[in-house]
Amino acid sequence: MSRVYNFSAGPSTLPLPVLERAAAEMLDCNGSGQSVMEMSHRSKDFEKIICGTEALFRELLAIPDNYKVLFLQGGASSQFAMIPLNFMNKNGKADYVVTGQWAKKSYQEGARYGNARVVASSEDKTFSYIPELTADMFDPEADYVHVCWNNTIYGTHYSKIPPVGNIPLIADMSSSILSEKVDVAKYGMIYAGAQKNMAPAGLTVCIIREDMIGNARDITPNMFNYKTHADANSLFNTPPAYCIYILGLVLDWLKNEVGGIEKMHEINVKKAGILYDFLDGSSMFKSTVKGDDRSLMNIPFVTGDGELDKKFVAEATANGFVNIKGHRSVGGMRASIYNAMPVEGVQKLVDFMSEFEKNN
Ligand SMILES: *Cc1c(COP(=O)(O)O)cnc(C)c1O
């Protein structure tokens, strides 16, 4: 067997021990004589899986008791509509910080349902930074403030929580969830698609403060109402059962093999440091993001020469460093180094980049 180093932004690499365990349990999970894919979602066997996954998720992120954890489908993109449908319900206004394509899509969807306002944007410089945010910028009448915590395409990440006062803060953490500690109590809601740092595509996890649930607009489809899923403990209809099972294995790995979120964060700082240090010292490769706004998960970089970028991507791919081509809106390369990317994968990439620099 030969496995590549996969730098894909999503779906992305999963921890090898998780894949091995899933393979071992494929035909007979926990003595049930069936694969999780074949199980009734109403069975005792699956109840153990979904409850165990939720308990581990709560434990690892230290989620307070007054927050619901929901396992939904429809991707993070469905949240862009569910959020205004459920929460733009008092003054019909919401504030959005636009720091990338996902943040912009979320804003555009919000604008279809009410008075959505762009508080600040970094589009002027290809979203290469997080705008400075001050308390006076937010509308105290906004029903919520929406931010994208880690900008997957542009490689930026907030270094502090925006000063939103009492307005509920909603964060898309699709590409940073479980990579760092989060003070959940500072948020009204956090959500994340699973396919970046948690599990296969098909699952979206939402963490919502309980008092925010239950005031959806009348037109809200049942399936888009958080109350529907909160009341049914994510079993209103068939949940993405296999994804929830894999998330459980990933969380178990994170807790018992890695040693928890803080340890994971330390490793992520180390991994990103290896790549940023190299980029800052290189005369060929340059990081597209500066200082405090740098993401630990997604690291775009360029040579400044489109042909050289192409050559690098081709040679990297041939050497087993795959999915490293940058997003078309930034160009160049992007290394997504989520939790499951081992330190050695980043070290080997940097060795390869250094070799490439010498030869070109
Ligand atoms: C990938 C991504 C999305 C879109 O996720 P889907 O599950 O494909 O809808 C949204 N926000 C961020 C930050 C992402 O990285």
Side-chain angles (χ1 to χ4, degrees):
M1 182 189 70
S2 109
R3 287 196 34 99
V4 292
Y5 288 112
N6 180 5
F7 295 91
S8 170
S12 43
T13 188
L14 285 162
L16 188 58
V18 166
L19 296 175
E20 285 168 342
R21 187 169 156 196
E25 295 179 354
M26 177 61 78
L27 302 182
D28 177 7
C29 184
N30 290 328
S32 66
Q34 8 166 6
S35 157
V36 177
M37 284 184 232
E38 304 167 297
M39 268 177 199
S40 162
H41 61 294
R42 308 274 175 214
S43 65
K44 280 268 169 289
D45 287 315
F46 187 69
E47 189 183 310
K48 245 169 76 187
I49 291 171
I50 192 169
C51 293
T53 301
E54 181 180 337
L56 261 179
F57 189 77
R58 286 183 170 280
E59 179 187 334
L60 279 164
L61 281 175
I63 299 174
D65 288 343
N66 63 325
Y67 284 74
K68 289 277 187 201
V69 171
L70 305 180
F71 297 123
L72 307 180
Q73 305 195 44
S77 299
S78 289
Q79 297 308 310
F80 301 168
M82 286 177 79
I83 288 162
L85 282 167
N86 282 267
F87 302 137
M88 220 192 248
N89 51 12
K90 290 193 191 79
N91 301 316
K93 292 189 195 178
D95 280 355
Y96 284 79
V97 184
V98 174
T99 51
Q101 282 192 20
W102 298 117
K104 191 172 175 180
K105 285 195 170 124
S106 188
Y107 155 70
Q108 286 167 337
E109 191 73 12
R112 300 182 61 219
Y113 299 99
N115 191 351
R117 185 175 72 108
V118 177
V119 173
S121 166
S122 50
E123 194 163 13
D124 60 330
K125 291 186 180 150
T126 327
F127 299 119
S128 59
Y129 68 103
I130 301 289
E132 189 63 34
L133 297 167
T134 50
D136 58 297
M137 293 166 81
F138 297 100
D139 178 355
E141 288 193 345
D143 290 332
Y144 60 85
V145 174
H146 181 278
V147 298
C148 182
W149 195 246
N150 184 80
N151 295 279
T152 321
I153 296 173
Y154 305 92
T156 61
H157 179 282
Y158 281 78
S159 55
K160 46 185 184 286
I161 295 180
V164 298
N166 290 326
I167 314 169
L169 179 62
I170 299 182
D172 177 353
M173 293 195 181
S174 291
S175 50
S176 63
I177 190 111
L178 301 177
S179 71
E180 60 190 346
K181 263 175 71 175
V182 176
D183 188 354
V184 175
K186 295 259 158 59
Y187 298 84
M189 170 180 178
I190 292 166
Y191 66 100
Q195 70 273 23
K196 312 284 165 54
N197 221 358
M198 294 196 283
L203 167 67
T204 307
V205 183
C206 298
I207 307 166
I208 311 177
R209 212 176 61 214
E210 268 167 11
D211 65 278
M212 303 207 7
I213 299 174
N215 302 299
R217 298 189 182 184
D218 288 344
I219 60 154
T220 306
N222 247 341
M223 274 296 287
F224 265 36
N225 192 328
Y226 294 121
K227 189 170 184 341
T228 304
H229 300 286
D231 287 351
N233 294 318
S234 303
L235 288 166
F236 170 72
N237 69 328
T238 319
Y242 197 75
C243 297
I244 292 169
Y245 157 73
I246 297 285
L247 173 58
L249 301 192
V250 168
L251 296 170
D252 187 71
W253 166 82
L254 196 48
K255 179 181 171 184
N256 296 309
E257 291 190 49
V258 176
I261 294 278
E262 278 170 66
K263 190 78 196 121
M264 190 73 253
H265 182 245
E266 256 172 54
I267 297 168
N268 288 331
V269 168
K270 180 174 169 190
K271 278 190 293 185
I274 293 171
L275 186 45
Y276 282 124
D277 284 350
F278 173 77
L279 292 170
D280 290 342
S282 165
S283 49
M284 177 182 281
F285 298 103
K286 292 271 164 286
S287 159
T288 57
V289 179
K290 285 185 188 56
D292 286 352
D293 297 341
R294 283 177 166 179
S295 166
L296 297 181
M297 297 284 101
N298 311 96
I299 306 186
F301 54 95
V302 294
T303 64
D305 171 348
E307 285 309 307
L308 197 56
D309 286 349
K310 250 194 212 153
K311 185 166 185 233
F312 176 79
V313 170
E315 289 186 19
T317 309
N319 281 276
F321 304 100
V322 308
N323 292 317
I324 199 143
K325 189 171 184 293
H327 189 274
R328 60 191 178 280
S329 61
V330 180
M333 284 67 66
R334 170 179 48 171
S336 294
I337 51 173
Y338 296 116
N339 286 351
M341 173 59 66
V343 177
E344 115 206 340
V346 181
Q347 188 56 57
K348 284 187 178 159
L349 173 67
V350 163
D351 294 346
F352 177 78
M353 290 167 74
S354 171
E355 204 45 43
F356 183 89
E357 184 168 343
K358 270 193 218 110
N359 299 335
N360 291 274

